[in-house]
Coordinates of all heavy atoms in Angstrom, one line a residue:
M18 N -11.6 -26.5 -32.2 CA -11.9 -25.7 -31.0 C -12.0 -24.3 -31.4 O -11.1 -23.6 -31.9 CB -10.7 -25.9 -30.0 CG -10.9 -25.1 -28.7 SD -9.6 -25.6 -27.6 CE -8.8 -24.1 -27.3
P19 N -13.2 -23.7 -31.2 CA -13.4 -22.3 -31.6 C -12.7 -21.3 -30.7 O -12.4 -21.6 -29.5 CB -14.9 -22.1 -31.4 CG -15.4 -23.2 -30.5 CD -14.4 -24.3 -30.6
G20 N -12.3 -20.2 -31.2 CA -11.5 -19.2 -30.5 C -12.5 -18.4 -29.6 O -13.7 -18.4 -29.8
R21 N -11.9 -17.8 -28.6 CA -12.7 -16.9 -27.7 C -13.0 -15.6 -28.4 O -12.1 -15.0 -29.1 CB -12.0 -16.7 -26.4 CG -11.8 -17.9 -25.6 CD -11.2 -17.5 -24.3 NE -11.0 -18.8 -23.5 CZ -10.5 -18.8 -22.3 NH1 -10.1 -17.6 -21.7 NH2 -10.4 -19.9 -21.7
V22 N -14.2 -15.1 -28.1 CA -14.5 -13.8 -28.6 C -14.5 -12.8 -27.4 O -15.2 -13.0 -26.4 CB -15.9 -13.8 -29.2 CG1 -16.3 -12.4 -29.6 CG2 -16.0 -14.7 -30.4
I23 N -13.6 -11.9 -27.5 CA -13.5 -10.9 -26.4 C -14.1 -9.6 -26.9 O -13.7 -9.1 -27.9 CB -12.0 -10.7 -26.0 CG1 -11.4 -12.0 -25.5 CG2 -11.8 -9.6 -25.0 CD1 -9.9 -12.0 -25.2
P24 N -15.0 -9.1 -26.1 CA -15.6 -7.8 -26.6 C -14.7 -6.6 -26.5 O -13.7 -6.6 -25.8 CB -16.8 -7.6 -25.6 CG -16.4 -8.4 -24.4 CD -15.6 -9.6 -24.9
K25 N -15.0 -5.7 -27.3 CA -14.2 -4.4 -27.4 C -14.4 -3.7 -26.0 O -15.5 -3.6 -25.5 CB -14.6 -3.6 -28.5 CG -13.7 -2.4 -28.7 CD -14.2 -1.6 -30.0 CE -13.5 -0.3 -30.0 NZ -12.5 -0.2 -31.0
P26 N -13.3 -3.1 -25.5 CA -13.5 -2.4 -24.2 C -14.4 -1.2 -24.4 O -14.5 -0.5 -25.4 CB -12.1 -1.9 -23.8 CG -11.2 -2.6 -24.8 CD -12.0 -3.1 -25.9
D27 N -15.2 -0.9 -23.3 CA -16.0 0.3 -23.4 C -15.2 1.5 -23.2 O -13.9 1.5 -23.1 CB -17.1 0.2 -22.3 CG -16.6 0.2 -20.9 OD1 -15.3 0.1 -20.7 OD2 -17.4 0.2 -19.9
H28 N -15.8 2.7 -23.2 CA -15.0 4.0 -23.2 C -14.2 4.1 -21.9 O -13.0 4.5 -22.0 CB -16.0 5.2 -23.3 CG -15.3 6.5 -23.3 ND1 -14.4 6.9 -24.3 CD2 -15.3 7.5 -22.4 CE1 -14.0 8.1 -24.0 NE2 -14.5 8.5 -22.8
G29 N -14.7 3.7 -20.8 CA -14.0 3.8 -19.5 C -12.8 2.9 -19.5 O -11.7 3.2 -19.0
A30 N -13.0 1.7 -20.0 CA -11.9 0.7 -20.1 C -10.8 1.1 -21.1 O -9.6 0.9 -20.8 CB -12.4 -0.7 -20.4
E31 N -11.2 1.7 -22.2 CA -10.2 2.2 -23.1 C -9.4 3.3 -22.5 O -8.2 3.3 -22.7 CB -10.9 2.7 -24.4 CG -11.4 1.7 -25.3 CD -12.1 2.3 -26.6 OE1 -12.1 3.5 -26.7 OE2 -12.5 1.5 -27.4
R32 N -10.0 4.2 -21.8 CA -9.2 5.2 -21.1 C -8.3 4.7 -20.1 O -7.1 5.1 -20.0 CB -10.2 6.2 -20.4 CG -9.5 7.5 -19.9 CD -10.5 8.5 -19.4 NE -11.4 8.0 -18.4 CZ -12.7 7.9 -18.4 NH1 -13.3 8.3 -19.4 NH2 -13.4 7.4 -17.4
T33 N -8.7 3.7 -19.3 CA -7.8 3.0 -18.3 C -6.7 2.3 -19.0 O -5.5 2.4 -18.6 CB -8.6 2.0 -17.5 OG1 -9.7 2.7 -16.8 CG2 -7.7 1.3 -16.5
I34 N -7.0 1.6 -20.1 CA -5.9 0.9 -20.9 C -4.9 1.9 -21.4 O -3.7 1.7 -21.4 CB -6.5 0.1 -22.0 CG1 -7.3 -1.1 -21.4 CG2 -5.5 -0.4 -22.9 CD1 -8.2 -1.9 -22.3
R35 N -5.4 3.0 -22.0 CA -4.5 4.1 -22.5 C -3.6 4.6 -21.5 O -2.4 4.8 -21.6 CB -5.3 5.2 -23.2 CG -4.5 6.2 -24.0 CD -5.3 7.2 -24.7 NE -6.5 6.7 -25.3 CZ -7.8 7.0 -25.0 NH1 -8.0 7.8 -24.0 NH2 -8.8 6.5 -25.7
W36 N -4.2 5.0 -20.3 CA -3.4 5.5 -19.2 C -2.4 4.5 -18.7 O -1.2 4.9 -18.3 CB -4.2 6.1 -18.1 CG -4.7 7.5 -18.4 CD1 -6.0 7.8 -18.7 CD2 -3.9 8.7 -18.4 NE1 -6.0 9.2 -19.0 CE2 -4.8 9.7 -18.7 CE3 -2.6 8.9 -18.1 CZ2 -4.3 11.0 -18.8 CZ3 -2.1 10.2 -18.2 CH2 -3.0 11.3 -18.5
S37 N -2.8 3.3 -18.6 CA -1.8 2.2 -18.1 C -0.7 2.1 -19.1 O 0.5 1.9 -18.6 CB -2.5 0.9 -17.9 OG -2.9 0.3 -19.1
R38 N -0.9 2.2 -20.4 CA 0.2 2.1 -21.3 C 1.1 3.3 -21.2 O 2.3 3.1 -21.3 CB -0.4 2.0 -22.7 CG -1.0 0.7 -23.1 CD -1.5 0.6 -24.5 NE -2.1 -0.7 -24.7 CZ -3.0 -0.9 -25.7 NH1 -3.3 0.1 -26.5 NH2 -3.5 -2.1 -25.8
I39 N 0.6 4.5 -21.0 CA 1.4 5.6 -20.8 C 2.3 5.5 -19.6 O 3.5 5.8 -19.6 CB 0.5 6.9 -20.8 CG1 -0.1 7.2 -22.1 CG2 1.4 8.1 -20.3 CD1 -1.2 8.3 -22.1
V40 N 1.7 5.1 -18.5 CA 2.4 4.9 -17.2 C 3.5 3.8 -17.4 O 4.7 4.0 -17.0 CB 1.5 4.5 -16.1 CG1 2.3 4.1 -14.9 CG2 0.6 5.7 -15.7
S41 N 3.2 2.8 -18.1 CA 4.2 1.7 -18.4 C 5.3 2.2 -19.2 O 6.5 1.9 -18.9 CB 3.5 0.5 -19.0 OG 2.6 -0.1 -18.2
Y42 N 5.0 3.0 -20.3 CA 6.1 3.5 -21.1 C 7.0 4.4 -20.4 O 8.2 4.4 -20.5 CB 5.5 4.2 -22.3 CG 4.8 3.3 -23.3 CD1 3.7 3.7 -24.1 CD2 5.2 2.0 -23.5 CE1 3.1 2.9 -25.0 CE2 4.6 1.1 -24.4 CZ 3.5 1.6 -25.2 OH 2.9 0.8 -26.1
V43 N 6.4 5.3 -19.5 CA 7.2 6.2 -18.7 C 8.1 5.4 -17.8 O 9.3 5.7 -17.6 CB 6.3 7.2 -18.0 CG1 7.0 8.0 -16.9 CG2 5.6 8.1 -18.9
L44 N 7.6 4.4 -17.1 CA 8.4 3.6 -16.2 C 9.5 2.9 -17.0 O 10.6 2.8 -16.5 CB 7.5 2.6 -15.5 CG 6.6 3.1 -14.4 CD1 5.6 2.1 -13.9 CD2 7.4 3.7 -13.3
V45 N 9.2 2.4 -18.2 CA 10.3 1.7 -19.0 C 11.3 2.7 -19.4 O 12.5 2.4 -19.3 CB 9.7 1.0 -20.2 CG1 10.7 0.6 -21.2 CG2 8.9 -0.2 -19.8
V46 N 10.9 3.9 -19.8 CA 11.9 4.9 -20.1 C 12.8 5.3 -18.9 O 14.0 5.5 -19.0 CB 11.2 6.2 -20.7 CG1 12.1 7.4 -20.8 CG2 10.6 5.8 -22.1
L47 N 12.1 5.5 -17.8 CA 12.9 5.8 -16.5 C 13.9 4.6 -16.2 O 15.0 4.9 -15.8 CB 12.0 6.0 -15.4 CG 11.2 7.4 -15.4 CD1 10.2 7.4 -14.2 CD2 12.2 8.5 -15.2
A48 N 13.4 3.4 -16.4 CA 14.3 2.2 -16.1 C 15.5 2.3 -17.0 O 16.6 2.0 -16.6 CB 13.5 0.9 -16.3
A49 N 15.2 2.5 -18.3 CA 16.3 2.6 -19.3 C 17.3 3.7 -18.9 O 18.5 3.6 -19.0 CB 15.8 2.8 -20.7
A50 N 16.7 4.9 -18.5 CA 17.6 6.0 -18.1 C 18.5 5.7 -16.9 O 19.7 6.0 -16.9 CB 16.8 7.2 -17.9
V51 N 17.9 5.0 -15.9 CA 18.6 4.7 -14.7 C 19.7 3.6 -15.0 O 20.8 3.7 -14.6 CB 17.6 4.2 -13.6 CG1 18.4 3.5 -12.5 CG2 16.8 5.3 -13.1
L52 N 19.3 2.6 -15.8 CA 20.3 1.6 -16.1 C 21.4 2.1 -17.0 O 22.5 1.5 -17.0 CB 19.6 0.4 -16.8 CG 18.7 -0.4 -15.9 CD1 17.9 -1.4 -16.7 CD2 19.6 -1.2 -14.8
S53 N 21.1 3.1 -17.8 CA 22.2 3.6 -18.7 C 23.1 4.7 -18.1 O 24.0 5.1 -18.7 CB 21.5 4.2 -20.0 OG 20.8 5.4 -19.6
L54 N 22.8 5.0 -16.8 CA 23.7 6.0 -16.2 C 25.1 5.4 -16.1 O 25.3 4.3 -15.7 CB 23.2 6.3 -14.8 CG 22.0 7.2 -14.7 CD1 21.6 7.3 -13.2 CD2 22.2 8.5 -15.2
R55 N 26.1 6.2 -16.5 CA 27.5 5.8 -16.5 C 28.0 6.0 -15.1 O 27.7 6.9 -14.4 CB 28.3 6.5 -17.5 CG 27.7 6.4 -18.8 CD 28.6 6.2 -20.0 NE 29.9 5.9 -19.7 CZ 30.6 4.9 -20.3 NH1 29.9 4.2 -21.2 NH2 31.8 4.7 -20.0
P56 N 28.9 5.1 -14.6 CA 29.5 5.2 -13.3 C 30.2 6.6 -13.1 O 30.2 7.1 -11.9 CB 30.4 4.1 -13.1 CG 30.0 3.1 -14.2 CD 29.3 3.9 -15.3
E57 N 30.7 7.2 -14.1 CA 31.4 8.4 -14.0 C 30.5 9.6 -13.6 O 31.0 10.6 -13.1 CB 32.1 8.8 -15.3 CG 33.2 7.8 -15.7 CD 32.7 6.6 -16.4 OE1 31.6 6.6 -17.0 OE2 33.4 5.5 -16.4
V58 N 29.2 9.4 -13.8 CA 28.3 10.4 -13.4 C 28.3 10.7 -11.9 O 28.1 11.8 -11.4 CB 26.8 10.0 -13.8 CG1 25.8 11.0 -13.2 CG2 26.7 10.0 -15.3
F59 N 28.6 9.6 -11.1 CA 28.6 9.7 -9.7 C 29.9 10.1 -9.1 O 30.1 10.2 -7.9 CB 28.2 8.3 -9.1 CG 26.9 7.8 -9.5 CD1 26.8 6.7 -10.3 CD2 25.7 8.5 -9.2 CE1 25.6 6.2 -10.7 CE2 24.5 8.1 -9.6 CZ 24.4 6.9 -10.4
G60 N 30.9 10.4 -9.9 CA 32.2 10.9 -9.4 C 33.3 9.9 -9.6 O 33.1 8.8 -10.1
D61 N 34.4 10.3 -9.1 CA 35.6 9.4 -9.2 C 35.5 8.2 -8.2 O 35.3 8.4 -7.0 CB 36.9 10.2 -8.8 CG 38.1 9.4 -8.9 OD1 38.1 8.4 -9.7 OD2 39.1 9.7 -8.2
P62 N 35.5 7.0 -8.7 CA 35.3 5.8 -7.9 C 36.4 5.6 -6.8 O 36.2 5.1 -5.7 CB 35.3 4.6 -8.8 CG 35.8 5.1 -10.1 CD 35.7 6.6 -10.1
S63 N 37.6 6.1 -7.1 CA 38.7 6.0 -6.1 C 38.5 6.9 -4.9 O 39.0 6.6 -3.8 CB 40.0 6.2 -6.7 OG 40.1 7.5 -7.2
S64 N 37.8 8.0 -5.0 CA 37.6 8.9 -3.9 C 36.3 8.6 -3.1 O 36.1 9.2 -2.1 CB 37.6 10.3 -4.4 OG 36.4 10.6 -5.2
Q65 N 35.5 7.7 -3.6 CA 34.2 7.4 -3.0 C 34.2 5.9 -2.7 O 34.0 5.1 -3.6 CB 33.0 7.8 -3.8 CG 33.0 9.3 -4.1 CD 31.8 9.6 -5.0 OE1 31.1 8.7 -5.5 NE2 31.5 10.9 -5.2
P66 N 34.3 5.6 -1.4 CA 34.2 4.2 -1.0 C 32.9 3.5 -1.3 O 32.8 2.3 -1.5 CB 34.6 4.1 0.4 CG 34.4 5.5 0.9 CD 34.5 6.4 -0.2
A67 N 31.8 4.3 -1.3 CA 30.5 3.8 -1.5 C 30.1 3.7 -3.0 O 28.9 3.5 -3.3 CB 29.5 4.6 -0.7
H68 N 31.1 3.9 -3.8 CA 30.8 3.9 -5.3 C 30.2 2.6 -5.8 O 29.3 2.6 -6.6 CB 32.1 4.2 -6.0 CG 31.9 4.7 -7.4 ND1 31.7 3.9 -8.5 CD2 31.8 6.0 -7.9 CE1 31.5 4.6 -9.6 NE2 31.5 5.9 -9.2
A69 N 30.7 1.5 -5.2 CA 30.1 0.2 -5.6 C 28.6 0.1 -5.3 O 27.8 -0.5 -6.0 CB 30.9 -0.9 -4.9
L70 N 28.2 0.7 -4.2 CA 26.8 0.7 -3.8 C 25.9 1.4 -4.8 O 24.8 1.1 -5.1 CB 26.6 1.2 -2.4 CG 27.1 0.4 -1.2 CD1 26.9 1.1 0.1 CD2 26.4 -0.9 -1.2
L71 N 26.5 2.5 -5.4 CA 25.8 3.2 -6.4 C 25.5 2.3 -7.6 O 24.4 2.4 -8.2 CB 26.5 4.5 -6.8 CG 26.6 5.6 -5.7 CD1 27.6 6.7 -6.2 CD2 25.3 6.1 -5.4
H72 N 26.5 1.5 -7.9 CA 26.2 0.6 -9.1 C 25.1 -0.4 -8.7 O 24.2 -0.6 -9.6 CB 27.5 -0.3 -9.4 CG 28.6 0.5 -10.0 ND1 28.5 1.1 -11.2 CD2 29.8 0.9 -9.5 CE1 29.6 1.8 -11.5 NE2 30.4 1.6 -10.4
V73 N 25.1 -0.9 -7.5 CA 24.1 -1.9 -7.1 C 22.7 -1.2 -7.1 O 21.7 -1.8 -7.6 CB 24.4 -2.5 -5.8 CG1 23.3 -3.3 -5.2 CG2 25.7 -3.3 -5.8
W74 N 22.6 0.0 -6.5 CA 21.3 0.6 -6.4 C 20.8 1.1 -7.8 O 19.6 1.1 -8.0 CB 21.4 1.8 -5.5 CG 21.4 1.4 -4.1 CD1 22.4 1.5 -3.2 CD2 20.3 0.7 -3.4 NE1 22.1 0.9 -2.0 CE2 20.8 0.5 -2.1 CE3 19.0 0.4 -3.7 CZ2 20.0 -0.2 -1.1 CZ3 18.2 -0.2 -2.8 CH2 18.7 -0.5 -1.5
R75 N 21.7 1.4 -8.7 CA 21.3 1.8 -10.1 C 20.7 0.6 -10.7 O 19.6 0.7 -11.4 CB 22.6 2.2 -10.8 CG 22.3 2.5 -12.3 CD 23.6 3.0 -12.9 NE 24.7 2.0 -12.9 CZ 25.0 1.2 -13.9 NH1 24.3 1.2 -15.0 NH2 25.9 0.3 -13.8
I76 N 21.2 -0.6 -10.6 CA 20.7 -1.8 -11.2 C 19.4 -2.2 -10.5 O 18.4 -2.5 -11.2 CB 21.7 -2.9 -11.1 CG1 22.9 -2.6 -12.0 CG2 21.1 -4.3 -11.5 CD1 24.1 -3.5 -11.8
V77 N 19.3 -2.2 -9.2 CA 18.1 -2.5 -8.5 C 17.0 -1.6 -8.8 O 15.9 -2.0 -9.1 CB 18.4 -2.5 -6.9 CG1 17.1 -2.6 -6.2 CG2 19.3 -3.6 -6.6
A78 N 17.3 -0.3 -8.9 CA 16.2 0.7 -9.2 C 15.7 0.5 -10.7 O 14.5 0.6 -10.9 CB 16.8 2.1 -9.0
G79 N 16.7 0.2 -11.6 CA 16.3 0.0 -13.0 C 15.4 -1.2 -13.1 O 14.4 -1.2 -13.8
I80 N 15.7 -2.3 -12.5 CA 14.9 -3.5 -12.5 C 13.6 -3.3 -11.8 O 12.6 -3.8 -12.3 CB 15.7 -4.7 -11.9 CG1 16.9 -5.0 -12.8 CG2 14.8 -5.9 -11.7 CD1 17.9 -6.1 -12.3
A81 N 13.6 -2.6 -10.7 CA 12.3 -2.3 -10.0 C 11.4 -1.5 -10.9 O 10.2 -1.8 -10.9 CB 12.6 -1.6 -8.7
L82 N 11.9 -0.5 -11.6 CA 11.0 0.3 -12.5 C 10.5 -0.6 -13.6 O 9.3 -0.4 -14.0 CB 11.8 1.5 -13.0 CG 12.1 2.6 -12.0 CD1 13.1 3.5 -12.6 CD2 10.8 3.3 -11.7
A83 N 11.3 -1.4 -14.2 CA 10.9 -2.3 -15.3 C 9.8 -3.3 -14.8 O 8.8 -3.5 -15.5 CB 12.0 -3.1 -15.9
V84 N 10.0 -3.8 -13.6 CA 9.0 -4.8 -13.0 C 7.7 -4.0 -12.7 O 6.6 -4.5 -12.9 CB 9.6 -5.5 -11.8 CG1 8.5 -6.2 -11.0 CG2 10.7 -6.4 -12.2
A85 N 7.8 -2.8 -12.3 CA 6.6 -1.9 -12.0 C 5.8 -1.7 -13.3 O 4.6 -1.7 -13.3 CB 7.0 -0.6 -11.3
A86 N 6.5 -1.5 -14.4 CA 5.9 -1.3 -15.7 C 5.1 -2.5 -16.1 O 3.9 -2.4 -16.5 CB 6.9 -0.9 -16.8
L87 N 5.7 -3.7 -15.9 CA 5.0 -4.9 -16.2 C 3.8 -5.1 -15.2 O 2.7 -5.5 -15.6 CB 6.0 -6.1 -16.0 CG 5.4 -7.5 -16.3 CD1 4.9 -7.6 -17.7 CD2 6.5 -8.5 -16.0
G88 N 4.0 -4.8 -14.0 CA 3.0 -4.9 -13.0 C 1.7 -4.1 -13.3 O 0.6 -4.5 -13.1
V89 N 2.0 -2.9 -13.8 CA 0.8 -2.0 -14.2 C 0.0 -2.7 -15.2 O -1.2 -2.7 -15.2 CB 1.4 -0.6 -14.7 CG1 0.3 0.1 -15.4 CG2 1.9 0.2 -13.5
Q90 N 0.7 -3.3 -16.2 CA -0.1 -3.9 -17.3 C -0.8 -5.2 -16.8 O -2.0 -5.4 -17.2 CB 0.9 -4.3 -18.4 CG 1.4 -3.2 -19.2 CD 0.3 -2.4 -19.9 OE1 -0.5 -2.9 -20.6 NE2 0.3 -1.1 -19.6
V91 N -0.2 -5.9 -15.9 CA -0.8 -7.1 -15.4 C -2.1 -6.8 -14.6 O -3.1 -7.4 -14.7 CB 0.2 -8.0 -14.6 CG1 -0.5 -9.1 -13.8 CG2 1.2 -8.6 -15.5
V92 N -1.9 -5.8 -13.7 CA -3.0 -5.4 -12.8 C -4.2 -4.9 -13.6 O -5.4 -5.2 -13.4 CB -2.6 -4.3 -11.8 CG1 -3.7 -3.6 -11.1 CG2 -1.7 -4.9 -10.8
V93 N -4.0 -4.0 -14.6 CA -5.0 -3.5 -15.5 C -5.7 -4.6 -16.3 O -6.9 -4.7 -16.4 CB -4.5 -2.4 -16.4 CG1 -5.5 -2.0 -17.4 CG2 -4.1 -1.1 -15.6
G94 N -4.9 -5.5 -16.8 CA -5.5 -6.7 -17.5 C -6.3 -7.5 -16.6 O -7.4 -8.0 -17.1
L95 N -5.9 -7.8 -15.4 CA -6.7 -8.7 -14.5 C -8.0 -8.0 -14.1 O -9.0 -8.6 -14.0 CB -5.8 -9.0 -13.3 CG -4.7 -10.0 -13.5 CD1 -3.9 -10.2 -12.2 CD2 -5.2 -11.3 -14.0
R96 N -7.9 -6.7 -13.9 CA -9.1 -5.9 -13.5 C -10.1 -5.9 -14.7 O -11.3 -6.1 -14.4 CB -8.8 -4.5 -13.1 CG -8.1 -4.4 -11.7 CD -7.7 -3.0 -11.3 NE -9.0 -2.2 -11.2 CZ -9.0 -0.9 -11.2 NH1 -7.8 -0.3 -11.3 NH2 -10.1 -0.3 -11.1
W97 N -9.6 -5.7 -15.9 CA -10.5 -5.7 -17.0 C -11.1 -7.1 -17.2 O -12.3 -7.3 -17.5 CB -9.8 -5.3 -18.3 CG -10.6 -5.3 -19.5 CD1 -11.7 -4.5 -19.7 CD2 -10.4 -6.0 -20.7 NE1 -12.2 -4.7 -21.0 CE2 -11.5 -5.6 -21.6 CE3 -9.5 -7.0 -21.1 CZ2 -11.6 -6.2 -22.8 CZ3 -9.6 -7.5 -22.4 CH2 -10.6 -7.1 -23.2
R98 N -10.3 -8.2 -17.1 CA -10.8 -9.5 -17.2 C -11.9 -9.9 -16.2 O -12.9 -10.5 -16.5 CB -9.6 -10.5 -17.2 CG -10.0 -11.9 -17.6 CD -8.7 -12.7 -17.7 NE -9.1 -14.0 -18.0 CZ -8.2 -15.0 -18.2 NH1 -6.9 -14.7 -18.2 NH2 -8.6 -16.2 -18.5
N99 N -11.6 -9.5 -14.9 CA -12.6 -9.7 -13.9 C -13.9 -8.9 -14.1 O -15.0 -9.4 -13.8 CB -12.0 -9.3 -12.5 CG -11.0 -10.3 -12.0 OD1 -11.0 -11.4 -12.4 ND2 -10.1 -9.8 -11.2
G100 N -13.8 -7.7 -14.7 CA -15.0 -7.0 -15.1 C -15.8 -7.7 -16.1 O -17.0 -7.7 -16.1
L101 N -15.1 -8.3 -17.1 CA -15.8 -9.1 -18.1 C -16.5 -10.3 -17.5 O -17.6 -10.6 -17.9 CB -14.8 -9.6 -19.2 CG -14.2 -8.5 -20.1 CD1 -13.2 -9.2 -21.1 CD2 -15.3 -7.9 -20.9
R102 N -15.8 -11.0 -16.6 CA -16.4 -12.1 -15.9 C -17.7 -11.7 -15.1 O -18.7 -12.4 -15.1 CB -15.5 -12.8 -15.0 CG -14.4 -13.6 -15.7 CD -13.6 -14.3 -14.7 NE -12.6 -15.1 -15.4 CZ -11.4 -15.4 -15.0 NH1 -11.1 -15.1 -13.7 NH2 -10.5 -16.1 -15.7
R103 N -17.6 -10.6 -14.4 CA -18.8 -10.1 -13.7 C -19.9 -9.7 -14.6 O -21.1 -10.0 -14.3 CB -18.4 -8.9 -12.8 CG -17.8 -9.2 -11.5 CD -17.7 -8.0 -10.6 NE -16.9 -6.9 -11.3 CZ -15.6 -6.7 -11.0 NH1 -15.0 -7.4 -10.2 NH2 -15.0 -5.7 -11.6
A104 N -19.6 -9.1 -15.7 CA -20.6 -8.7 -16.7 C -21.2 -10.0 -17.3 O -22.5 -10.0 -17.5 CB -20.0 -7.9 -17.8
A105 N -20.4 -11.0 -17.5 CA -21.0 -12.3 -18.1 C -21.8 -13.0 -17.1 O -22.8 -13.6 -17.4 CB -19.8 -13.2 -18.6
A106 N -21.5 -12.9 -15.8 CA -22.3 -13.5 -14.8 C -23.6 -12.9 -14.6 O -24.6 -13.5 -14.2 CB -21.5 -13.6 -13.5
E107 N -23.7 -11.6 -14.8 CA -24.9 -10.8 -14.7 C -25.9 -11.2 -15.8 O -27.1 -11.1 -15.6 CB -24.6 -9.3 -14.6 CG -23.9 -8.9 -13.4 CD -23.6 -7.4 -13.4 OE1 -23.8 -6.7 -14.5 OE2 -23.0 -6.9 -12.5
D108 N -25.4 -11.5 -16.9 CA -26.3 -11.8 -18.1 C -26.9 -13.2 -17.9 O -26.7 -14.1 -17.3 CB -25.5 -11.8 -19.4 CG -25.0 -10.4 -19.7 OD1 -25.6 -9.5 -19.2 OD2 -24.1 -10.2 -20.6

């Protein structure tokens, strides 16, 4: 079974891919920063009854940022692939 030949992205697609990688890396760094926040940053847990909610929101926000980073890559990849299909259909 021969392998697929995928053409090299054109200049516009390369720029889009580069920007999507930058956005993804920034989102991953933000997710790591949010997830690495220590509970002590938010103050004394005994004096704040909502302290447990801060833990939950920290985790939810970190996971959401990581999923957003993955989503950026998936969306850009799907758009590029659909563009390849359209170009192949025109030929």
